[in-house]
Amino acid sequence: AQSVSQHNHHVILSEAASLELGCNYSYGGTVNLFWYVQYPGQHLQLLLKYFSGDPLVKGIKGFEAEFIKSKFSFNLRKPSVQWSDTAEYFCAVNAVGYSTLTFGKGTMLLVSP
Amino acid sequence: DADVTQTPRNRITKTGKRIMLECSQTKGHDRMYWYRQDPGLGLRLIYYSFDVKDINKGEISDGYSVSRQAQAKFSLSLESAIPNQTALYFCATSGPDSGYTFGSGTRLTVV
């Protein structure tokens, strides 16, 4: 079965700091990978996804993620965070051949102005 | 209109009551899902359906049942609600080459 591990439960940054949120998955086969964001009181929105091709994926709002197959990782990055990036971030994996999405437990990001 | 609509948005119910959460989608996708979100636990899959005649249990199906009334409609029922079913419930749909689209959620409180 697939599983997802997010390294940090809570991250606190100042505006303009760089962000990297770790995500590792366990599954030996081909995977699709996702990052979702949940702003306070809202539903999940897709930030970016990786299906195949270039392992560096660019998403909305200046976010990007890099798929490193050898490390089973899909870390999320942003060079300079803003206060409006305060939200909870979820990494998710869908193993090709399994049709459901498995989520990590989430990382709560708080950006102080 | 939202792609995935959940009703109600908020519900408070008493222990032992039966409650139904409804979900409809306009994406035209065959696949639909119900997840529950608890603080610190992320989202966990309750049930999923790949088409109208297909229903599958997820990770935490005990205490829940579902009905797929049409391609666009997928409802979740709690036959006899208990307090530890207090959570935020999300419905989602997915297409063959797309990520999941989530509804706005139903916040359920069982007292």
Side-chain angles (χ1 to χ4, degrees), chain B residues 28-44:
Chain B
H29 293 160
D30 287 325
R31 298 178 177 182
M32 297 187 73
Y33 312 82
W34 276 103
Y35 284 87
R36 70 176 272 176
Q37 183 181 14
D38 298 277
L41 296 181
L43 279 79
R44 293 179 292 166

Side-chain angles (χ1 to χ4, degrees), chain A:
Chain A
Q2 59 207 31
S3 66
V4 180
S5 175
Q6 292 186 235
H7 302 172
N8 307 97
H9 293 304
H10 293 90
V11 173
I12 301 174
L13 295 173
S14 299
E15 274 194 316
S18 64
L19 170 71
E20 181 161 3
L21 301 182
C23 172
N24 287 90
Y25 67 92
S26 65
Y27 183 71
T30 304
V31 294
N32 298 322
L33 296 155
F34 307 83
W35 276 97
Y36 284 87
V37 60
Q38 186 179 31
Y39 297 103
Q42 297 189 25
H43 62 286
L44 279 80
Q45 301 173 41
L46 182 65
L47 267 181
L48 47 79
K49 62 186 179 185
Y50 172 81
F51 282 10
S52 64
D54 188 344
L56 185 60
V57 180
K58 294 191 183 299
I60 61 172
K61 304 186 181 188
F63 287 91
E64 66 178 28
E66 184 176 14
F67 171 48
I68 303 179
K69 188 175 181 179
S70 61
K71 295 184 177 181
F72 298 90
S73 70
F74 190 55
N75 292 354
L76 181 70
R77 299 194 292 249
K78 186 172 185 179
S80 176
V81 295
Q82 301 172 322
W83 176 80
S84 58
D85 293 324
T86 293
E88 190 160 18
Y89 293 80
F90 294 93
C91 181
V93 63
N94 164 221
V96 176
Y98 292 86
S99 298
T100 62
L101 203 56
T102 299
F103 286 85
K105 294 184 177 181
T107 298
M108 180 66 72
L109 172 65
L110 175 63
V111 180
S112 58

Side-chain angles (χ1 to χ4, degrees), chain B:
Chain B
D1 287 343
D3 292 329
V4 181
T5 301
Q6 291 183 235
T7 56
R9 290 294 305 274
N10 293 281
R11 180 74 181 266
I12 301 174
T13 192
K14 293 184 178 180
T15 298
K17 292 291 187 182
R18 183 179 189 275
I19 182 170
M20 179 182 289
L21 309 184
E22 300 192 7
C23 176
S24 63
Q25 53 104 352
T26 58
K27 300 283 284 186
H29 293 160
D30 287 325
R31 298 178 177 182
M32 297 187 73
Y33 312 82
W34 276 103
Y35 284 87
R36 70 176 272 176
Q37 183 181 14
D38 298 277
L41 296 181
L43 279 79
R44 293 179 292 166
L45 183 63
I46 306 172
Y47 270 96
Y48 61 102
S49 169
F50 289 162
D51 64 41
V52 175
K53 296 180 181 179
D54 177 75
I55 300 290
N56 302 281
K57 292 183 177 181
E59 180 185 353
I60 52 164
S61 59
D62 288 349
Y64 301 94
S65 63
V66 291
S67 173
R68 185 79 184 267
Q69 300 95 326
Q71 185 200 40
K73 295 184 182 294
F74 191 38
S75 60
L76 175 72
S77 294
L78 287 68
E79 298 301 325
S80 180
I82 56 177
N84 76 0
Q85 291 177 312
T86 293
L88 186 56
Y89 290 84
F90 286 104
C91 176
T93 187
S94 71
D97 294 311
S98 64
Y100 284 32
T101 302
F102 286 85
S104 298
T106 294
R107 186 167 297 280
L108 177 66
T109 303
V110 183
V111 297

